[in-house]
């Protein structure tokens, strides 16, 4: 259990969670693995408990529970997290922190990816999940990972970005946008193995909020220019396909498949390995539903290996 409190109220300083030695380097991206998940369908979420859960949940937001869409269902985040953790951690080295980021809720509230990772990942000290940032949830997860790594001296961190397409309720989309840009297209996951000891590709993350759709392109360009000034030239730019024409940011832009809000852009890094070759690879995501803009710069080779 992770505990936080005001030191002034304690009679004695509590023992640190880990050795106090801080990391010697910033956050680095060591390995990226993407998986698309098909099938599933064996899990049902139209039982009495799940029906009450979805009815109560959708009622809070003025939506309608659709039991005909509830079963058979797809892949849970716990199932996807298990596969991804095994794929990205073949060497068995300890991973001290796991962060799960997603844009859509898990389809089955009875199973938790975070709880699974707490037991399944060697050396795990803490697991947590992040949402409510839409397609920018992975950027928030990277920022959180960097802060926890810096605070506790943790060396290896696993960030999982997850998408799933089973939503047993009516779907609403931002006014003036195409449902094709926002409707979930399938179940997918991206595992980002991060290090803080200088062995990964340095990654720098910026996250801005309150960005209107009409301002998103200019805000992304300004943020990329700032990262360029601080961290060197930008080569390939990986952008989401959520409605804003981010392809205009660079002639070297690659557009992620639509319908994968959390995994689309980071999934384009699948197969990249750490490197020190400039120019760096940039990632850009924007979510009109939340007004969040995420921009990251990773010092990977500019072309796929």
């Amino acid at each position: 259990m992770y505990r936080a409190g005001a030191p002034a109220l304690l009679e004695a300083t509590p023992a640190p969670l880990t050795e106090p030695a801080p990391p010697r380097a910033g956050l680095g991206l060591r390995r990226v693995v993407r998986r698309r998940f098909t099938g599933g369908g064996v899990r049902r979420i139209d039982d009495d408990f799940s029906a009450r859960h979805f009815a109560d949940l959708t009622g809070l937001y003025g939506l309608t529970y659709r039991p005909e869409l509830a079963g058979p269902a797809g892949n849970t985040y716990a199932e996807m997290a298990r596969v991804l953790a095994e794929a990205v951690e073949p060497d068995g080295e300890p991973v001290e922190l796991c962060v799960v980021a997603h844009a859509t809720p898990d389809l089955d509230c009875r199973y938790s990816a975070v709880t699974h990772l707490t037991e399944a990942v060697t050396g795990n000290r803490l697991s947590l999940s992040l949402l409510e940032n839409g397609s920018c949830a992975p950027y928030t997860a990277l920022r959180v990972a960097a802060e926890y790594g810096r605070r506790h001296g943790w060396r290896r961190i696993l960030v999982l970005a997850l998408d799933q397409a089973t939503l047993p309720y009516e779907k609403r989309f931002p006014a003036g946008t195409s449902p094709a840009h926002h409707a979930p297209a399938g179940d997918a996951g991206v595992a980002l193995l991060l290090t803080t000891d200088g062995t990964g590709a340095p990654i720098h993350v910026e996250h801005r909020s309150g960005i209107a759709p009409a301002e998103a392109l200019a805000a992304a360009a300004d943020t990329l220019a700032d990262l360029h000034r601080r961290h060197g030239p930008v080569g390939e730019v990986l952008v989401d396909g959520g409605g804003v024409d981010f392809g205009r940011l660079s002639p070297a832009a690659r557009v992620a498949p639509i319908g994968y809000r959390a995994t689309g852009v980071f999934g384009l890094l699948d197969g990249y390995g750490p490197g020190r070759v400039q120019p760096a690879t940039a990632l850009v995501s924007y979510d009109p539903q939340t007004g969040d803009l995420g921009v990251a710069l990773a010092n990977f080779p500019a072309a796929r290996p």
Side-chain angles (χ1 to χ4, degrees):
M1 180 174 65
Y2 185 82
R3 297 185 299 171
L9 301 180
L10 302 176
E11 295 182 359
T13 301
L17 291 178
T18 64
E19 296 78 9
R24 291 172 294 176
L27 199 65
L29 200 51
R30 181 66 183 172
R31 190 177 180 204
V32 182
V33 173
R34 181 191 65 179
R35 293 285 186 272
R36 294 280 180 86
F37 295 84
T38 57
V42 296
R43 185 179 308 283
R44 301 192 67 88
I45 52 174
D46 54 357
D47 57 282
D48 290 342
F49 172 82
S50 297
R52 292 195 303 272
H53 166 75
F54 286 118
D56 290 343
L57 184 64
T58 54
L60 295 173
Y61 297 94
L63 302 176
T64 302
Y65 170 52
R66 298 277 302 278
E68 70 274 15
L69 303 178
N75 302 276
T76 66
Y77 286 154
E79 293 166 340
M80 290 190 275
R82 175 185 58 80
V83 173
L84 289 164
E86 292 174 354
V88 82
E89 193 194 7
D91 52 16
E93 291 185 35
V95 173
E96 293 123 317
L97 171 66
C98 295
V99 186
V100 178
H102 50 95
T104 53
D106 203 346
L107 65 89
D108 194 335
C109 66
R110 299 167 297 182
Y111 298 88
S112 169
V114 168
T115 301
H116 169 77
L117 292 169
T118 299
E119 296 294 330
V121 174
T122 303
N124 191 8
R125 307 290 187 91
L126 177 68
S127 293
L128 52 92
S129 72
L130 293 168
L131 64 163
E132 302 297 339
N133 287 152
S135 57
C136 290
Y139 298 84
T140 305
L142 288 171
R143 294 173 61 203
V144 168
E147 291 301 321
Y148 273 91
R150 183 179 301 112
R151 177 177 182 181
H152 298 299
W154 289 339
R155 306 289 178 174
R156 283 164 63 95
I157 299 168
L158 179 63
V159 169
L160 298 180
L162 301 172
D163 281 313
Q164 64 88 23
T166 302
L167 300 177
Y169 44 83
E170 61 178 339
K171 305 172 182 65
R172 293 181 182 175
F173 306 100
T177 63
S178 168
H181 289 147
H182 303 282
D187 299 345
V190 176
L192 308 172
L193 182 60
L194 304 153
T195 60
T196 59
D197 58 6
T199 61
I203 183 167
H204 311 280
V205 180
E206 295 291 336
H207 185 176
R208 299 175 61 179
S209 58
I211 305 296
E215 303 167 346
L217 182 60
D222 289 344
T223 306
L224 275 176
D226 182 59
L227 286 171
H228 178 188
R229 286 190 294 270
R230 291 187 285 127
H231 303 292
V234 177
E236 188 174 39
V237 180
L238 312 179
V239 303
D240 70 25
V244 177
D245 186 13
F246 286 128
R248 295 167 58 188
L249 290 171
S250 167
R254 293 175 59 202
V255 181
I258 61 174
Y260 295 92
R261 292 175 67 195
T263 64
V265 172
F266 284 90
L268 294 178
L269 286 175
D270 181 34
Y272 280 54
R276 308 290 176 176
V277 180
Q278 292 284 3
T281 299
L283 303 93
V284 179
S285 299
Y286 173 69
D287 197 301
Q289 291 179 282
T290 65
D292 287 282
L293 172 70
V295 181
L297 192 66
N299 201 2
F300 282 109
R304 294 182 66 86

